[in-house]
């Protein structure tokens, strides 16, 4: 009952499968080159006048004595509550709010980072008439009206991490410098592989998505630093993990096979770091291939000691929150904007074997 | 009413014809073609190392695809397999972290982790079957509910970050030692064989096919379809939980995002393998090849340096062709 | 009167406000073919489902061998020796002939393998073939799937399965639908053979000539009630049709 038709169809399946592969192969070059021309983020040029990473204690000029009346409330609307990055930020915000004697109202969607869920939250928060607002806009355009509405109601606003398009009405924008983090990763990688000019080295980069702004900023900083200081280091491949460590693991496992002389890996965020670390351990290449990761998840921080990670680049969300609270209390209670800068970038921190235990603990993201 | 048996063909000719019309064999040829293509593009592809990489991806996919094979043959669908994989891995990771912190031995800790994965899987599978049997939700909706709840719980429990701190020996268990085969992969092979026997040779599989083929006839034959549904979805949960443990051993941690979208890969493997979403049709051997093809494409594209996003395109083409072959055959079946 | 093998007394079945069966009584004796006829919506299918254990009547009694029985599921009825051939196909098209004949009554492998749930497929295939032949049905090899058979062959397998397993009662819901004259004739022949074996046969059909040809007694349903229950010899095609449609007074 199975005649020629099904046989022909079977053949077609084989041919078409192979044809698709060919098609994929042909367009590969265009695919990978496009990512290299990713626009360098506007933030990279921003004044980085911020305190040094160790400046946690020094604080901002606002510390100068403005005491707040009881009932002063600062609303903090962030992106997604479940993200360890924001959890770490909350620790900093809580501590500083307590120090300044203000009430902190911490709000945000439990898990979704989206303007659709954030806008109603901002509206609800504004209805309670807080004294000040810290806003992490999940979209620069979509949150502009809510942002301006707050200012119009006499509520001062500070943007943290991300910002709205028109910052003329915003008291300050405080963010981590991802571009600088990428450059630091390049330095750490070059040091780990013992870079000598004139020699050539191979590295790969694991990304999460082609559009995430933190990813593109870190990659741009990484590439710029390689071009400026380490021209012998060549990026052989990049791939995307879609936030899944197992996908990152597959990518890195195959790269380790494909490039037997691979010198280093830059894992651009926490999930890529986790996947790459497991691949190195499974292939027995710990210490033989340098691995610079990003984000101080506790389990990755633990792997610095065992040498799986050459270095981890960490952001300092607690410090960002602290500065934001300081600025707002100064404006609300001190009635002054003196010394407050419109844009502050806090450099990322390098964690490696030389980092003290206390600092490791300080920068490890809270879970 | 009586029909004479088909006239006897020369044995070899009919055997050849059977082979060519056999979806698994066709897929085997496709797979060989892929291996040849990737090897031609980069000779390093044809290595035990790459085979190990492919099998490391194949293992967990095969577990959930096996689960999905049973479910789809029964005429249902299980969208929660990926969420179960993630959730079980996360819950087990917490248990193993606690035990390791408390100074328990690695072997005991890993066994407990395995049992936790199995337990979480069985529990979610049981919930799925209760939703289908008693809340009268269709499987698509019932498992969509547990998919959402499972993924949500994983993120809530972990705060979005991978949970490590378990026995450091975990990853070393995932290192291939028998050629490209690691211990977890060998376990998956063994589980696949047992599942093949139960699907094709045992009463459990017979009822699974019967239910997907004609649920009314199955009930009318005195078979408890509620019991069968409960067994099928709990098996699906169990296998998905094992996939969670597989990923844990591979990553040395349980990540909440692990398994996200895995249900789609599993369904793709099953459909490419020749099963029909309408139920009653499918072979586990087809699913084995479907899963192998998907994971071979993944590694192959990385090795030859093509953006892995092309995998989706290749998979889409394979699904379209697999389904149209099925439709062609059905047409022939009616005509003959 | 006496020796009713299978009997329902005053059964009613309501679906919400709708009364599908209203105080229906009927019986079938061993070695008797009873025709059950009625227009669409008369309640034939509902009655069949009550008789076969798919539905439970809202009220009334079901008696087998004079004993009151309550079917909680088709399984109970099957266990008691009542086989039903449904109008909606009672076969799983993707399964083989042998698998269908043995569906729900699988034969297990001997020893430990059987305990582990493995099937004795070869033995079932052989027995299915023999059973179908015994009741006068020849089908191609037992390991073919039902989907590969013609409509007549499928119906033959379904009937053969019911006859082969029935120990007391066999209920056939529209078994001659969509069959050619020759194939329908064979179905009627199988029914007679079943009666001659001492089974009670309930034959539901729209095809009045078939009913008149093969049955011993005819029960006419209209709007959920039994409007006539009389020996077949008292009907001709016209009077039967008139009773069904209500043109002839009850």
């Amino acid at each position: 009952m199975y005649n020629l038709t099904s046989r022909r169809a079977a053949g077609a399946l084989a041919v078409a499968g192979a044809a698709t592969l060919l098609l994929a192969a042909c367009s590969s070059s265009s695919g990978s080159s496009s990512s290299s021309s990713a626009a360098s983020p506007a933030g990279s040029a921003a004044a980085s006048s911020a305190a040094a990473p160790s400046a946690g204690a020094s604080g901002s000029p606002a510390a100068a004595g403005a005491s707040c009346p009881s009932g002063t409330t600062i609303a903090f609307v962030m992106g997604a509550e479940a993200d360890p990055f924001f959890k770490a930020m909350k620790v900093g915000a809580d501590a500083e709010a307590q120090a300044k004697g203000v009430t902190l109202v911490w709000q945000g969607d439990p898990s979704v980072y989206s303007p659709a869920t954030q806008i109603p939250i901002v509206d609800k928060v504004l209805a309670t008439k807080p004294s000040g607002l810290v806003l992490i806009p999940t979209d620069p355009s979509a949150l502009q009206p809510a942002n301006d509405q707050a200012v119009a109601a006499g509520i001062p606003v500070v943007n943290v991490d991300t910002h709205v398009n028109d910052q003329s009405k915003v008291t300050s924008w405080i963010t981590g410098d991802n571009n600088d983090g990428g450059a630091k990763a390049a330095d750490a990688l070059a040091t780990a592989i013992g870079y000598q000019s004139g020699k050539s080295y191979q590295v790969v980069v694991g990304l999460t998505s082609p559009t995430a702004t933190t990813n593109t900023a870190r990659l741009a900083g990484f590439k710029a630093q390689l071009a400026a200081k380490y021209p012998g280091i060549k990026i052989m491949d990049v791939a995307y993990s879609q936030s899944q460590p197992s996908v990152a693991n597959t990518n890195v496992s195959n790269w380790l096979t494909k490039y037997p002389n691979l010198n280093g890996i830059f894992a651009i965020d926490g999930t890529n770091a986790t996947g790459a670390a497991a691949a190195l351990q499974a292939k027995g290449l710990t210490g033989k291939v340098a691995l610079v990761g990003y984000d101080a998840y506790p389990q990755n921080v633990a792997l610095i000691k065992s040498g799986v990670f050459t270095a981890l680049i960490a952001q300092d969300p607690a410090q960002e929150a602290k500065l934001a609270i300081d600025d707002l209390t100064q404006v609300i209670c001190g009635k002054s904007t003196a010394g407050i800068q419109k844009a502050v970038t806090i450099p990322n921190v390098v964690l490696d074997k030389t980092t003290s235990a206390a600092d490791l603990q300080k920068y490890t993201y809270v879970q | 009413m009586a029909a004479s048996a088909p006239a006897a063909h020369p044995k070899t000719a009919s055997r050849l014809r059977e082979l060519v019309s056999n979806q698994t064999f066709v897929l085997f040829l496709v797979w060989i073609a892929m291996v040849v293509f990737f090897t031609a593009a980069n000779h390093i592809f044809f290595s035990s190392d790459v085979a190990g990489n492919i099998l490391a991806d194949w293992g967990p996919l095969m577990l959930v695809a096996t689960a999905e094979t049973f479910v789809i043959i029964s005429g249902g669908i299980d969208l929660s397999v990926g969420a179960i994989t993630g959730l079980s891995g996360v819950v087990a990771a917490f248990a193993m972290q606690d035990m390791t912190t408390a100074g328990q031995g690695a072997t005991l800790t890993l066994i407990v982790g395995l049992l936790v994965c199995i337990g979480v899987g069985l529990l979610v599978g049981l919930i799925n079957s209760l939703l289908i049997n008693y809340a009268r939700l269709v499987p698509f909706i019932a498992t969509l509910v547990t998919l959402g709840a499972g993924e949500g719980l994983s993120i809530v429990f972990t705060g979005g970050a991978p949970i490590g701190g378990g026995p450091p020996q975990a990853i070393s268990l995932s290192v291939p030692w028998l050629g490209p085969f690691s211990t977890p992969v060998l376990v998956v092979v063994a589980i696949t064989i047992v599942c093949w026997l139960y699907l094709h040779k045992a009463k459990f599989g017979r009822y699974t096919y019967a239910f997907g083929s004609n649920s009314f006839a199955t009930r009318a034959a005195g078979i408890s379809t509620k019991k069968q549904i409960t067994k099928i979805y709990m098996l699906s949960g169990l296998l998905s939980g094992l996939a969670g443990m597989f990923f844990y051993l591979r990553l040395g941690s349980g990540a909440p995002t692990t398994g996200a979208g895995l249900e789609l890969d599993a369904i793709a493997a099953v459909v490419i393998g020749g099963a029909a979403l309408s139920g009653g049709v499918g072979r586990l051997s087809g699913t084995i090849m479907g899963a192998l093809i998907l994971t071979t494409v993944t590694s192959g594209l990385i090795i030859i340096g093509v953006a892995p996003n092309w995998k989706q395109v290749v998979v889409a083409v394979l699904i379209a062709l697999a389904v149209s072959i099925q439709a062609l055959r059905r047409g022939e079946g009616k005509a003959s | 009167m006496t020796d009713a093998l299978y009997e329902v007394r005053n059964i009613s079945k309501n679906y919400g406000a709708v009364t599908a069966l209203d105080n229906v009584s009927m019986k079938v004796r061993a070695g008797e073919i009873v025709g059950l006829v009625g227009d669409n919506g008369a309640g034939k299918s509902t009655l069949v489902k009550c008789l076969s254990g798919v539905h439970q009547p809202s009220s009334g009694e079901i008696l087998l061998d004079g004993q009151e029985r309550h079917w909680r599921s088709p399984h109970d009825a099957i266990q008691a020796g009542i086989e039903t051939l449904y109008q909606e196909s009672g076969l799983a098209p993707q399964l083989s002939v042998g698998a269908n004949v043995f569906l729900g009554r699988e034969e297990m492998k001997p020893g430990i393998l059987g305990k582990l749930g493995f099937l004795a497929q070869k033995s079932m295939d052989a027995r299915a073939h023999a059973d179908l032949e015994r009741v006068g049905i020849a089908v191609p090899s037992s390991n073919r799937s039902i989907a590969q058979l013609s409509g007549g062959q499928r119906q033959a397998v379904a009937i053969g399965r019911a006859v082969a397993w029935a120990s007391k009662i066999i209920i056939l819901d529209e078994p001659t639908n969509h069959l050619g004259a020759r194939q329908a004739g064979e179905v009627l022949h199988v029914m007679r053979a079943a009666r001659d074996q001492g089974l009670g046969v309930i034959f539901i059909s729209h095809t009045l000539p078939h009913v008149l040809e093969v049955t011993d007694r005819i029960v006419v349903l209209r709007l959920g009630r039994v409007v006539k229950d009389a020996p077949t010899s008292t009907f001709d095609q016209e009077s039967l049709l008139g009773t069904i449609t209500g043109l002839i007074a009850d």
Side-chain angles (χ1 to χ4, degrees):
Chain A
M1 60 167 284
Y2 297 127
N3 58 23
L4 193 64
T5 324
S6 75
R7 216 172 303 176
R8 204 178 285 158
L13 176 62
V15 170
T20 316
L21 289 173
L22 270 171
L23 188 62
C26 294
S27 67
S28 68
S29 50
S30 67
S32 56
S33 67
S34 68
S35 62
S36 65
S37 61
S40 79
S44 67
S48 71
S49 63
S54 57
S58 73
S60 81
S67 76
C68 281
S70 69
T72 305
T73 303
I74 292 178
F76 203 123
V77 181
M78 41 77 210
E81 206 171 357
D83 191 324
F85 177 79
F86 292 118
K87 289 198 163 183
M89 189 175 277
K90 183 171 190 290
V91 172
D94 277 337
E96 193 61 11
Q98 203 176 5
K100 297 282 179 190
V102 300
T103 309
L104 183 77
V105 178
W106 184 260
Q107 286 289 344
D109 189 85
S111 59
V112 182
Y113 188 92
S114 151
T117 53
Q118 195 183 32
I119 290 170
I121 293 175
V122 177
D123 289 345
K124 237 182 286 172
V125 162
L126 290 182
T128 67
K129 303 203 184 310
S131 322
L133 173 68
V134 183
L135 178 63
I136 299 177
T138 49
D139 186 280
S141 321
L143 268 296
Q144 186 82 50
N147 187 86
D148 295 353
Q149 195 191 328
V151 176
I155 301 168
V157 179
V158 171
N159 285 174
V160 169
D161 196 35
T162 50
H163 61 85
V164 291
N165 283 331
D166 174 11
Q167 292 182 71
S168 58
K169 295 178 179 136
V170 176
T171 304
S172 179
W173 170 46
I174 299 157
T175 189
D177 191 344
N178 283 302
N179 203 277
D180 169 68
K184 283 186 166 141
D187 289 336
L189 209 48
T191 308
I193 63 184
Y195 182 82
Q196 295 173 346
S197 70
K199 289 195 178 171
S200 65
Y201 302 89
Q202 301 180 337
V203 298
V204 288
V205 183
L207 300 141
T208 257
S209 98
T211 53
T213 54
T214 49
N215 277 213
T216 51
R218 289 166 192 176
L219 184 60
F222 184 74
K223 282 182 172 169
Q225 189 77 341
L226 290 190
K229 286 173 72 179
Y230 316 108
I233 297 180
K234 188 171 175 245
I235 298 176
M236 308 301 292
D237 252 320
V238 300
Y240 306 105
S241 71
Q242 291 124 27
S243 293
Q244 292 189 43
S246 58
V247 175
N249 182 267
T250 299
N251 293 338
V252 174
S253 296
N254 282 301
W255 282 335
L256 290 172
T257 307
K258 185 180 176 185
Y259 304 111
N261 302 317
L262 191 69
N263 300 97
I265 301 166
F266 178 31
I268 215 152
D269 67 2
T271 53
N272 276 289
T274 301
L280 277 189
Q281 291 175 79
K283 300 259 181 201
L285 293 170
T286 297
K288 291 180 186 132
V289 176
L291 172 60
V292 174
Y294 226 108
D295 288 340
Y297 291 142
Q299 71 149 134
N300 288 344
V301 171
L303 289 176
I304 294 175
K305 218 200 285 179
S306 56
V308 177
F309 283 102
T310 311
L312 273 180
I313 314 295
Q315 304 180 75
D316 194 356
Q319 179 67 12
E320 292 175 28
K322 178 185 182 301
L323 290 182
I325 302 275
D326 285 350
D327 287 353
L328 279 180
T329 48
Q330 185 189 335
V331 172
I332 298 162
C333 315
K335 310 282 181 205
S336 152
T337 55
I340 296 179
Q341 284 161 350
K342 276 299 230 185
V344 179
T345 49
I346 299 174
N348 287 175
V349 191
V350 179
L351 307 178
D352 59 22
K353 268 189 171 158
T354 64
T355 310
S356 73
D359 272 357
L360 281 183
Q361 197 181 357
K362 179 179 156 199
Y363 290 111
T364 299
Y365 296 174
V366 183
Q367 256 169 2
Chain B
M1 190 169 286
S4 60
H9 289 280
K11 239 185 179 175
T12 47
S14 78
R15 200 172 284 169
L16 191 70
R17 213 170 56 149
E18 220 167 77
L19 264 184
V20 173
S21 65
N22 177 314
Q23 184 119 1
T24 305
F25 182 71
V26 173
L27 291 174
F28 181 71
L29 293 182
V30 170
W31 180 69
I32 294 286
M34 285 179 167
V35 171
V36 169
F37 170 81
F38 286 128
T39 305
N42 185 344
H43 68 92
I44 210 160
F45 181 83
F46 202 78
S47 64
S48 177
D49 208 21
V50 170
N53 295 342
I54 291 171
L55 286 172
D57 285 343
W58 177 85
L61 176 59
M62 192 60 216
L63 286 171
V64 292
T66 301
E68 205 68 72
T69 304
F70 278 90
V71 175
I72 285 177
I73 287 175
S74 82
I77 194 143
D78 190 346
L79 299 178
S80 67
V81 289
I84 295 174
T85 300
L87 183 64
S88 59
V90 161
V91 176
F94 277 117
M96 289 188 270
Q97 190 182 46
D98 282 353
M99 289 183 70
T100 306
T101 310
Q104 296 284 355
T107 309
L108 179 66
T109 304
L110 287 169
I111 289 171
V112 169
L114 181 64
L115 293 177
V116 168
C117 282
I118 290 171
V120 170
L122 288 175
L123 181 67
V124 182
L126 178 66
I127 292 170
N128 280 335
S129 66
L130 291 176
L131 289 175
I132 295 166
N133 281 336
Y134 298 102
R136 301 271 172 171
L137 301 184
V138 294
F140 185 94
I141 301 296
T143 58
L144 187 64
V145 167
T146 44
L147 157 71
E151 283 194 348
L153 281 178
S154 297
I155 291 178
V156 170
F157 288 164
T158 59
I163 305 303
Q169 291 88 336
I171 289 178
S172 57
L173 274 175
S174 288
V175 176
W177 57 272
L178 185 68
F181 293 91
S182 63
T183 304
V185 169
L186 289 171
V187 169
V188 173
V189 170
I191 289 172
T192 305
I193 291 170
V194 171
C195 285
W196 186 88
L197 289 170
Y198 272 87
L199 181 60
H200 298 300
K201 299 287 171 195
K203 196 151 104 175
F204 178 68
R206 174 63 49 81
Y207 287 2
T208 304
Y209 275 100
F211 186 61
S213 184
N214 185 340
S215 61
F216 175 80
T218 311
R219 248 192 317 275
I223 296 163
S224 166
T225 51
K226 279 186 179 159
K227 249 190 229 167
Q228 187 66 17
I229 282 179
T230 306
K231 284 187 197 164
I232 289 172
Y233 285 85
M234 284 184 75
L235 171 70
S236 181
L238 165 70
L239 292 170
S240 308
L242 289 174
M245 189 64 189
F246 192 108
F247 276 120
Y248 184 91
L249 293 177
R250 209 172 120 189
L251 296 172
S253 59
T257 50
T258 295
L262 190 60
E263 62 280 355
L264 296 181
D265 277 349
I267 293 168
V270 173
V271 169
I272 290 172
L277 289 178
S278 50
V281 180
R283 305 282 303 172
L284 193 55
S285 53
T287 302
I288 294 172
M289 289 313 302
L292 193 56
I293 285 175
L294 291 184
T295 50
T296 300
V297 170
T298 304
S299 281
L301 292 182
I302 298 171
I303 294 291
I304 68 173
V306 170
N309 304 32
W310 273 97
K311 180 189 155 196
Q312 263 98 315
V313 181
V314 178
V315 170
V317 170
L318 286 171
I319 290 176
L321 283 163
V323 172
S324 46
I325 288 184
Q326 267 177 46
L328 274 176
R329 278 199 197 143
R330 255 199 302 282
E332 284 169 33
K334 276 191 189 121
S336 73
Chain C
M1 325 274 141
T2 55
D3 71 339
L5 180 56
Y6 196 33
E7 184 176 7
V8 292
R9 282 185 194 157
N10 309 327
I11 64 166
S12 297
K13 176 73 184 174
N14 306 312
Y15 297 101
V18 179
T19 302
L21 291 178
D22 182 7
N23 221 20
V24 166
S25 298
M26 72 167 284
K27 63 177 100 174
V28 57
R29 299 176 184 85
E32 182 186 42
I33 302 179
V34 175
L36 183 59
V37 296
D39 217 337
N40 287 332
K44 299 186 305 272
S45 289
T46 307
L47 181 54
V48 166
K49 283 176 177 161
C50 289
L51 289 168
S52 60
V54 172
H55 290 336
Q56 285 76 49
S58 310
S59 63
E61 295 175 333
I62 296 177
L63 295 93
L64 182 67
D65 280 330
Q67 304 277 315
E68 186 170 356
R69 307 297 287 262
H70 296 279
W71 312 134
R72 285 162 301 161
S73 68
H75 184 72
D76 287 355
I78 290 168
Q79 288 281 303
I82 298 166
E83 284 293 324
T84 308
L85 172 64
Y86 296 94
Q87 194 176 348
E88 309 99 282
S89 170
L91 298 174
Q94 278 89 12
L95 292 190
S96 70
V97 171
N100 267 287
V101 168
F102 278 83
L103 190 59
R105 293 177 258 249
E106 282 74 9
E107 207 178 285
M108 308 308 287
K109 277 208 153 72
I112 183 82
L113 282 177
K115 290 228 164 59
L116 288 173
F118 290 100
L119 300 167
Q121 192 54 50
K122 274 196 182 139
S123 153
M124 279 194 279
D125 282 346
R127 273 186 55 193
H129 201 73
D131 282 352
L132 292 177
E133 264 184 354
R134 180 167 58 80
V135 297
I137 293 164
V139 287
S141 74
S142 297
N143 55 24
R144 274 204 165 189
S145 78
I146 295 293
Q148 290 172 293
L149 304 183
S150 69
Q153 289 173 326
R154 289 181 201 195
Q155 195 66 341
V157 171
I159 296 170
R161 179 176 93 157
V163 174
W165 289 110
S167 62
K168 294 206 159 82
I169 298 290
I170 171 162
I171 302 167
L172 303 163
D173 192 357
E174 300 284 5
T176 57
N177 256 9
H178 314 302
L179 294 188
R182 194 177 61 83
Q183 292 170 327
E186 289 193 38
V187 169
L188 300 184
H189 170 74
V190 172
M191 284 168 60
R192 286 196 196 94
R195 170 182 65 189
D196 295 345
Q197 283 174 30
L199 295 174
V201 179
I202 299 173
F203 174 37
I204 298 94
S205 182
H206 272 113
T207 316
L208 300 184
H210 291 161
V211 177
L212 289 165
E213 181 186 341
V214 78
T215 59
D216 301 301
R217 201 153 48 78
I218 299 177
V219 175
V220 183
L221 279 178
R222 192 181 336 127
L223 300 173
R225 293 162 179 269
V226 174
V227 294
K228 188 112 182 191
D229 182 346
T232 306
S233 55
T234 64
F235 291 97
D236 60 20
Q237 188 149 345
E238 232 166 281
S239 67
L240 183 53
L241 188 62
T243 314
I244 290 169
T245 54
L247 291 175
I248 293 175
D250 306 344

